Amino acid sequence: MINHAVLGVFDEFEKAEQARAALLADGFGSDALELKVHNDEAGPVEGNFLVGNTAIESEEHVYERNYATPVQRGQCMLMVAAADPATAARASAILAGFGARDPDQLSGAQR
């Protein structure tokens, strides 16, 4: 019986995949892991993809300069179903080792 769920939020899919592989290597079954990727059709939540980084003075502006470094935030979520608190703590430690953020702390930080 699964009584505990651990959720980690990642900005990069590669990190989420690495964490999933580490959990599998640590003995977690694939049926206990769920990786979801959320794409937002509006684009990155941080960056200047609509207006650019600098004013456009002429027709000769460089796209890469004006629309550089958009950042996706919290696009990947990895949920681990754990049977007990010790297993949940082990999963949390593995997720944290790959840079996962706790969604409860994220929501508290936004208030």
Side-chain angles (χ1 to χ4, degrees):
M1 174 182 256
I2 304 301
N3 294 324
H4 303 275
V6 178
L7 182 63
V9 178
F10 295 87
D11 293 335
E12 299 173 16
F13 180 69
E14 293 78 19
K15 289 290 186 184
E17 278 188 318
Q18 291 170 359
R20 184 179 185 281
L23 288 161
L24 289 169
D26 194 65
F28 287 87
S30 61
D31 58 331
L33 307 176
E34 185 177 353
L35 178 58
K36 291 188 176 187
V37 179
H38 298 277
N39 291 319
D40 185 352
E41 68 272 1
V45 296
E46 181 181 311
N48 297 315
F49 72 101
L50 289 178
V51 297
N53 293 330
T54 60
I56 299 172
E57 295 97 18
S58 71
E59 294 292 322
E60 300 171 9
H61 73 281
V62 178
Y63 180 87
E64 290 80 15
R65 181 193 69 194
N66 286 332
Y67 301 96
T69 64
V71 177
Q72 299 284 352
R73 292 273 186 234
Q75 296 294 316
C76 303
M77 293 188 296
L78 180 55
M79 188 180 83
V80 183
D84 55 61
T87 305
R90 200 171 88 230
S92 273
I94 292 170
L95 291 174
F98 287 90
R101 294 174 291 143
D102 182 338
D104 292 334
Q105 291 176 346
L106 292 174
S107 64
Q110 294 173 358
R111 291 182 191 156

